[in-house]
Amino acid sequence: MFSWLLALLLALTLWGLTSAWLWLVKRRNTENQHGLAALAGMRWREFSQIVHRAMSEQRNLHELVNDEESADRRTSSDFLMEGKERWLISCKHGRAYRLGAASITEMATAQQLTGAGRGVLITEGRVERDGLAAAQKHGIEVLDERNLWRALAPFVPDDTRQAVVGVARREAMRQTGIAALGALTVGLLAGLGYQTTLHGDDAPPARAAGAAAIAPDKPPAAAAPVAAGTEAATPAPAVDDTAMAAEDLVQNPDAATLLRYQQAVSKKLAGTPGVISGIWLTRSTLSIERSADDATVWPLICREVERYPALRTTRIQLNPRPGTDEPVRWRQCSTI
């Protein structure tokens, strides 16, 4: 459950960051591009009226209506306006313009000839880097594709402005929906990956039973586990082979006798060539660690197990040899 909460948090974070960028950055860029296209699509008279209105209301400038030269410039791309000082407004109407230092120098010359102290260059196109440097040098303000729409948008007819803003908003909403699906997909993949890793870490090893039974190369003869079903019993004394051979082996021994039989088998197998150890996992399961192949060690294992009638049907677990990818196998020397 916790992993899915993290995945949900990741998805919400990604969606939030992407949405913020789409609305605060991408939407403004989209609106700017569509706004410039709308301005460039206007006739010169409409565009010049918007520029006149913007200069009048934003900068408190007015036309030189009493100036005969200014009257001729009303339909020209360059016109004079006046506030505290005279301004030359130069318009390059169209998106194809790429203006460099030469165009700025030409405007600076015209500014000197008309006695204007300030100048503004307006275009839906772009003023190149050298043109910007020249404009700064001559004190000419530049309104081009980077900032023209923001400057003129308040003075554009309402229907045109709302159409431009609506297009940008719808585009942002569409992209936000796509971003939500993408963030959800990333969250799901992250959650599934975390679950897979978690389950892989928690899964028991393939040889859990065999690994638990691995003992040192030469374990002590008496180091056999307690038989299943018995509680922490006091370890039995070491088995005397001579006494074991002499006693009467029974089919159904008591728990203490069965434990002695198992210890005797473990001791013999520990000294058998090709066998590393034989550890009793339960009273009827013997785990074998070996260094030789089945054909070599199996007769030797059965020889020791079948000496005791009570152990002949023991379930024997043959663990893979060290360094191999053999599967774990279970066999019996005798069946009932």
Side-chain angles (χ1 to χ4, degrees):
M1 183 63 181
F2 181 68
S3 63
W4 291 113
L5 290 177
L6 290 179
L8 178 60
L9 180 61
L10 173 63
L12 290 176
T13 301
L14 289 176
W15 182 64
L17 293 175
T18 305
S19 298
W21 180 82
L22 288 173
W23 283 90
L24 298 178
V25 179
K26 187 67 165 58
R27 181 183 63 84
R28 291 181 179 179
N29 291 339
T30 302
E31 180 181 333
N32 186 64
Q33 293 301 315
H34 286 281
L36 290 173
L39 291 174
M42 294 179 179
R43 295 180 179 180
W44 163 249
R45 182 177 296 275
E46 296 173 328
F47 180 73
S48 64
Q49 288 175 350
I50 292 174
V51 172
H52 277 82
R53 184 182 170 192
M55 293 297 105
S56 176
E57 297 187 18
Q58 287 181 339
R59 303 166 190 264
N60 198 25
L61 303 178
H62 60 273
E63 295 182 75
L64 298 177
V65 293
N66 296 325
D67 191 334
E68 182 178 344
E69 181 180 278
S70 179
D72 294 337
R73 292 179 178 272
R74 290 178 63 88
T75 58
S76 172
S77 60
D78 296 345
F79 51 89
L80 292 171
M81 300 188 76
E82 193 171 43
K84 293 182 179 180
E85 57 184 329
R86 180 171 292 188
W87 289 62
L88 174 63
I89 313 300
S90 179
C91 298
K92 306 295 183 183
H93 184 43
R95 299 212 60 189
Y97 284 102
R98 293 295 180 267
L99 305 175
S103 299
I104 302 299
T105 302
E106 181 181 348
M107 180 178 172
T109 301
Q111 185 176 321
Q112 293 177 352
L113 292 176
T114 56
R118 304 286 298 275
V120 181
L121 175 62
I122 297 176
T123 180
E124 298 99 331
R126 184 179 185 86
V127 177
E128 304 293 353
R129 183 176 299 179
D130 59 337
L132 292 175
Q136 184 177 10
K137 177 181 177 181
H138 294 290
I140 296 175
E141 183 179 350
V142 173
L143 295 178
D144 66 353
E145 65 178 10
R146 286 164 287 214
N147 53 8
L148 179 62
W149 172 251
R150 289 194 297 272
L152 300 186
F155 310 100
V156 172
D158 288 343
D159 56 344
T160 302
R161 183 174 62 256
Q162 291 175 3
V164 170
V165 172
V167 169
R169 182 180 292 112
R170 288 191 296 272
E171 183 69 13
M173 292 176 63
R174 184 183 68 84
Q175 293 173 344
T176 301
I178 295 174
L181 292 177
L184 181 61
T185 301
V186 172
L188 288 174
L189 292 176
L192 291 173
Y194 183 83
Q195 288 286 338
T196 301
T197 303
L198 186 63
H199 291 166
D201 292 340
D202 292 343
R207 295 173 51 206
I214 296 177
D217 289 343
K218 293 295 181 181
V226 179
T230 64
E231 298 180 355
T234 303
V239 179
D240 187 339
D241 290 342
T242 304
M244 182 69 72
E247 73 172 286
D248 184 21
L249 300 177
V250 295
Q251 178 69 39
N252 297 308
D254 57 33
T257 304
L258 179 65
L259 180 59
R260 291 202 305 274
Y261 292 170
Q262 291 174 329
Q263 290 177 340
V265 171
S266 294
K267 179 180 178 181
K268 287 291 187 180
L269 290 176
T272 300
V275 178
I276 299 174
S277 65
I279 305 297
W280 291 90
L281 301 179
T282 68
R283 40 180 318 154
S284 60
T285 303
L286 175 63
S287 175
I288 299 296
E289 296 294 331
R290 59 202 172 85
S291 58
D293 56 37
D294 293 357
T296 301
V297 301
W298 183 248
L300 303 178
I301 295 170
C302 288
R303 182 187 67 187
E304 301 301 331
V305 170
E306 289 180 336
R307 290 177 57 190
Y308 305 91
L311 301 179
R312 287 175 181 171
T313 58
T314 294
R315 186 169 180 260
I316 299 175
Q317 176 179 306
L318 294 172
N319 295 316
R321 289 174 290 174
T324 69
D325 56 356
E326 298 171 340
V328 177
R329 288 188 288 273
W330 289 268
R331 299 178 65 177
Q332 283 181 292
C333 294
S334 298
T335 57
I336 298 175

